[in-house]
Amino acid sequence: QARLKACNAEKNEAIAIVGMGCRFPGGADSPEAFWQLLNDGRDAITEVPPERWDIDAYYDADPDAPGKMNTRYGGFIERVDEFDARFFAISPREAVSMDPQQRLLLEVAWEALEYANIPPDSVYGSATGVFVGIIGQDYAQRLFAPGYLDKIDAYVGTGASQGVAAGRLSYALGLTGPSFSVDTACSSSLVTLHLACESLRRKECDLALSGGVNLILEPGLNVNFSKARMMAPDGRCKSFDSAADGYVRGEGCGMLVLKRLSDALAAGDQVLAVVRGSALNQDGPSGGLTVPSGPSQEQVVRQALVNAGITPDAVSYIEAHGTGTALGDPIELGALDAVFSASHSAANPLYLGSVKTNVGHLEAAAGVAGIIKLVLALRHDCLPRHLHCGNPTSRFSWADKPLRILHEPQAWPRGEQPRIAGISSFGFSGTNAHIVIEEAPQPVRHQADESETTSGSAAIAATAQQLLVLSARSGPALLALAQRYRDYLRAHPDTAPVDLCGSAATGRTHFPHRLALSAASAAGFAEGLEAFIDGNAAGRVSHNTPGAAVPVLAFLFTGQGAQYPGMGQRLYQTQPVFRRAIDHCAERLQPWCDVPLCELLFDTETDRLDRTGYTQPALFCLEYALSELWQAQGVRPDAVVGHSVGEYVAACVAGVFSLDDALKLLAARARLMQALPAGGAMAAVFAGEARVAQALAGHDRLAIAAVNGADNVVISGDETALNQVLDALQAEQIGHRKLSVSHAFHSPLMEPMLAEFAKIAAEVRYQAPLLPLISNVTGRLIGEDIATPAYWVEHIRRPVRFADSIDSLRHRHCQLLLELGPNPVLLGMARHGCPDAILIPSLRQQTADDEQFLRALGDLFVQGVAIDWNAV
């Protein structure tokens, strides 16, 4: 019984509409623009544009005039001759031989996926289905016209094929699910929706693109339909009006993105509306090939309701086929009357409308235009008015029927029961389709996890800066995109920055030409974008070219001396991954440290952080948490290097030892160093290693502690001896800088602790690094040699060969150096060894932690690093 129930549930599962895109007459090039047109009650019909044909040459009021059409009007979209072929990796030559309907499908499908917050590149290789309604062949007529035969090239066959329209979309996006074009005339795009829903239920695909396209490029069909008395001379679809005398042709493209409802809810998708059920049938032997059949229409509506599992009384609105013909309108009204009147009343009427009165009959795209209208009406809680019906047809008995034309906009409020509507498309091929649409289920709000959210962090998050990332395939396209975002933000100043930035980052494919901009408000982003547009350096733009390799990235872990009270506190308050890593370190560190880690890091009232016994564990934990945060957001190093204490973090990240062992070893190191007698000193000498080594000759209590650059060598040891050497160097005009330290690290003064440290080092488990790791001791790539206690004992005593380490990174072609530490100390030194590298600090004392981290994230994005924006 359970299996049977589950099987039935799958067979009839509701399908979620999670995205949509469109190009409709009246400049409706987005769902938002389309809603504005509908809500304003605008009629988008115009006279035939001169670039289509010379209407004066083809118009004649007499429908029987040979070669003439009896209307001057249509619903047209703009710029159908324009196409960014390079964006879709199509050559200009092939683009010329492509039906513009194929071009429209590519553009609108891309936008529909982005509307669904699905980056188009993310579906590459997936079993996504493509279902396209397409019937127009105007461009094919041009391509195969006798006068064009000598211009036919290798691309005309695919460019003119209706079947290839769906195939090209699958090819361009890398989709491997079912893919086909459908021609059932006016019902084509609703038929594709029915087929897409069935394919999803059968699990032939997990995502589907369904829609239709239509362009009017040649006058032939207008002439034909005039002869058949189908065209309204005044160019208006007067659906259900007594003056109905035909329809007006329109063009456009609409596309829906579909998922099984259970999958959409599980993925957290925004569900726009739900397809509850659908049905198809055929007129069969009606009164004529193109004459509609009332019984067939009635039957397809009833079957769709049965498939949806609902009764007629649940439906409150019908988006009618409503072509506006004297024959078709009364037949459709009769079928709706037969299905719905018994379950409705004057107090509970069935409202009727048709989008054809706004934009004309879009033929293969008519059904999807109606679906998008319905989805928008549900989301705006309002049914737009039906135009051109001042005097409802006398061929239907309105007075005693509960069917109502929407002469004015009608509020459509949410209630206890979900709002449900139906939509019909009846092809003159005789194929009928009806779809049942239901409002989206209300999202379930979960109580915030208190471990992730506190009142303090929520307050900080509310005012925190966000990161807006934009990208394009070319510099001019990036500039145009920035202008569009600027204009949007100026028109919508109440836009929530977190929503804006989240959508831009997670819902779009990222291209080589990139911009990253941080701000805390819509106005701040608009201002920053304006500065970028004007050529100022408010944002950061890459100069990568298509096909450029992603730069090789190295993590640099800072050593002792960069610490300051409060380091990492804002990240701890705002970033759950960072907070979990710090809390985990705090728990593991507790046996070896008598001050709680958070108190040590964030307490600004004491100087404990400068005591070696506390400094080193605190730095390790901060840098380890930064590494966890970066890697959780998809930023993973190609190599790691640390400076002194920082090498412990580098080794832990590379897998040389576990976090527990790393903390145990480092805490022992810090404790034993802290216990050594005071009196040591360190200084940076601005001379080469050979000259400094010569100056230290004969001083057995001094040593070179670090070689940080060609003219930056740190010496360490007994303070009296060190001062003597510095005085001698100063006499030779060799500069120096004394360092503020508690002990003389990497000097002979460390030797009393080595035996005890060696015992603890022997208790740790080691393994060879899993990442390329550059050694402090050698300055070169290291393998199994680092996985021994002896290495870490030697590490305390030997100089840090940081300059050599940077040189090794340069030889490994690491162009991106990301420092993980409280201040960018290492980047300053690395600049001399890698002058061409991009240097990015994770934190900087002068800047709030979360702001600096965002800037670093933006810098990495601009340089081509792949970021896991969903994790961000």
Side-chain angles (χ1 to χ4, degrees), residues 17 261 265 270-274 378-379 414 418-419 437-443:
I17 300 172
L261 179 59
L265 294 176
Q270 178 179 230
V271 178
L272 306 176
V274 170
L378 285 166
R379 297 187 67 75
R414 301 172 187 270
R419 294 165 295 172
I437 298 291
E438 181 178 282
E439 70 176 297
Q442 293 298 305

Side-chain angles (χ1 to χ4, degrees), residues 122-138:
S122 71
V123 297
Y124 191 91
S126 69
T128 297
V130 174
F131 306 84
V132 171
I134 180 171
I135 64 177
Q137 302 183 47
D138 289 7

Side-chain angles (χ1 to χ4, degrees), residues 32-281:
E32 291 76 19
F34 186 40
W35 174 251
Q36 196 63 53
L37 181 148
L38 295 170
N39 195 48
D40 292 346
R42 280 195 287 127
D43 182 336
I45 303 304
T46 62
E47 193 167 270
V48 176
E51 62 268 19
R52 301 304 175 93
W53 61 79
D54 180 1
I55 187 59
D56 291 330
Y58 284 98
Y59 173 73
D60 194 305
D62 179 6
D64 292 323
K68 305 291 183 178
M69 62 188 72
N70 70 331
T71 181
R72 304 176 64 88
Y73 304 99
F76 296 95
I77 61 175
E78 301 173 348
R79 301 186 301 275
V80 296
D81 58 326
E82 296 180 7
F83 180 61
D84 188 352
R86 191 176 73 168
F87 184 90
F88 294 102
I90 295 171
S91 72
R93 176 61 259 175
E94 184 173 8
V96 171
S97 296
M98 276 176 62
D99 189 330
Q101 294 180 120
Q102 294 187 21
R103 306 177 200 165
L104 270 177
L105 286 168
L106 289 171
E107 293 175 352
V108 176
W110 188 281
E111 292 172 6
L113 285 167
E114 288 190 337
Y115 197 100
N117 214 52
I118 299 173
D121 64 334
S122 71
V123 297
Y124 191 91
S126 69
T128 297
V130 174
F131 306 84
V132 171
I134 180 171
I135 64 177
Q137 302 183 47
D138 289 7
Y139 203 70
Q141 292 176 28
R142 291 187 183 184
L143 294 177
F144 291 113
Y148 197 87
L149 293 179
D150 60 340
K151 299 178 183 178
I152 289 178
D153 59 21
Y155 303 114
V156 166
T158 53
S161 168
Q162 291 179 329
V164 169
R168 187 185 295 277
L169 187 50
S170 295
Y171 171 79
L173 295 176
L175 314 177
T176 62
S179 179
F180 51 87
S181 304
V182 171
D183 177 0
T184 61
C186 316
S187 58
S188 296
S189 58
L190 280 200
V191 171
T192 66
L193 180 54
H194 170 85
L195 296 173
C197 292
E198 290 301 302
S199 183
L200 284 164
R201 292 186 182 108
R202 289 194 298 270
K203 298 189 177 180
E204 294 172 340
C205 56
D206 296 321
L207 183 73
L209 294 168
S210 170
V213 64
N214 192 56
L215 283 180
I216 306 169
L217 305 177
E218 296 290 337
L221 275 179
N222 277 32
V223 173
N224 169 232
F225 293 156
S226 293
K227 300 296 175 281
R229 304 300 196 271
M230 294 179 179
M231 305 290 282
D234 64 355
R236 299 298 181 270
C237 283
K238 298 176 283 293
S239 308
F240 308 128
D241 190 77
S242 292
D245 56 356
Y247 63 85
V248 59
R249 297 186 70 203
E251 64 181 18
C253 180
M255 189 65 67
L256 306 173
V257 182
L258 309 170
K259 278 187 174 183
R260 291 181 290 273
L261 179 59
S262 58
D263 291 345
L265 294 176
D269 294 323
Q270 178 179 230
V271 178
L272 306 176
V274 170
V275 179
R276 278 290 300 270
S278 60
L280 306 178
N281 73 3

Side-chain angles (χ1 to χ4, degrees), residues 470-701:
L470 304 179
S471 68
R473 286 201 190 274
S474 68
L478 181 61
L479 183 64
L481 186 64
Q483 290 169 339
R484 290 183 65 186
Y485 269 82
R486 176 204 60 190
D487 294 344
Y488 177 85
L489 288 165
R490 285 179 173 173
H492 302 83
D494 58 343
T495 299
V498 67
D499 292 339
L500 172 81
C501 297
S503 297
T506 64
R508 306 195 75 147
T509 293
H510 298 297
F511 298 112
H513 295 266
R514 299 180 171 194
L515 164 67
L517 179 68
S518 57
S521 66
F525 280 117
E527 182 181 346
L529 289 168
E530 182 66 32
F532 165 68
I533 293 163
D534 290 342
N536 298 326
R540 294 172 292 280
V541 186
S542 77
H543 302 285
N544 296 353
T545 56
V550 176
V552 179
L553 171 66
F555 279 7
L556 276 59
F557 295 95
T558 318
Q560 193 167 342
Q563 69 277 0
Y564 56 87
M567 57 183 184
Q569 187 168 12
R570 291 270 298 194
L571 286 182
Y572 185 83
Q573 293 168 330
T574 61
Q575 296 295 326
V577 172
F578 183 86
R579 181 165 60 251
R580 283 196 295 269
I582 290 291
D583 289 346
H584 184 61
C585 286
E587 180 184 355
R588 297 305 191 203
L589 184 63
Q590 190 174 6
W592 301 295
C593 186
D594 59 355
V595 179
L597 178 61
C598 288
E599 183 179 328
L600 193 58
L601 287 170
F602 309 142
D603 189 349
T604 60
E605 300 301 322
T606 71
D607 59 357
R608 284 181 300 199
L609 197 57
D610 290 330
R611 294 173 59 188
T612 295
Y614 297 132
T615 306
Q616 295 185 12
L619 278 174
F620 177 96
C621 295
L622 174 83
E623 294 173 15
Y624 176 83
L626 281 172
S627 176
E628 290 290 287
L629 179 57
W630 277 122
Q631 294 191 74
Q633 296 180 82
V635 179
R636 294 180 174 83
D638 299 296
V640 292
V641 61
H643 192 290
S644 190
V645 172
E647 183 157 323
Y648 282 76
V649 195
C652 184
V653 170
V656 173
F657 32 57
S658 69
L659 175 62
D660 282 352
D661 278 341
L663 287 171
K664 174 182 178 179
L665 191 60
L666 186 71
R669 181 187 198 264
R671 173 176 53 80
L672 292 171
M673 285 183 177
Q674 182 68 50
L676 290 171
M682 300 180 73
V685 178
F686 306 124
E689 182 181 4
R691 178 66 190 87
V692 174
Q694 181 183 2
L696 296 183
H699 294 278
D700 58 0
R701 290 179 63 76

Side-chain angles (χ1 to χ4, degrees), residues 859-872:
D859 287 338
L860 289 171
F861 167 78
V862 162
Q863 294 303 323
V865 174
I867 309 294
D868 183 352
W869 291 110
N870 287 305
V872 174

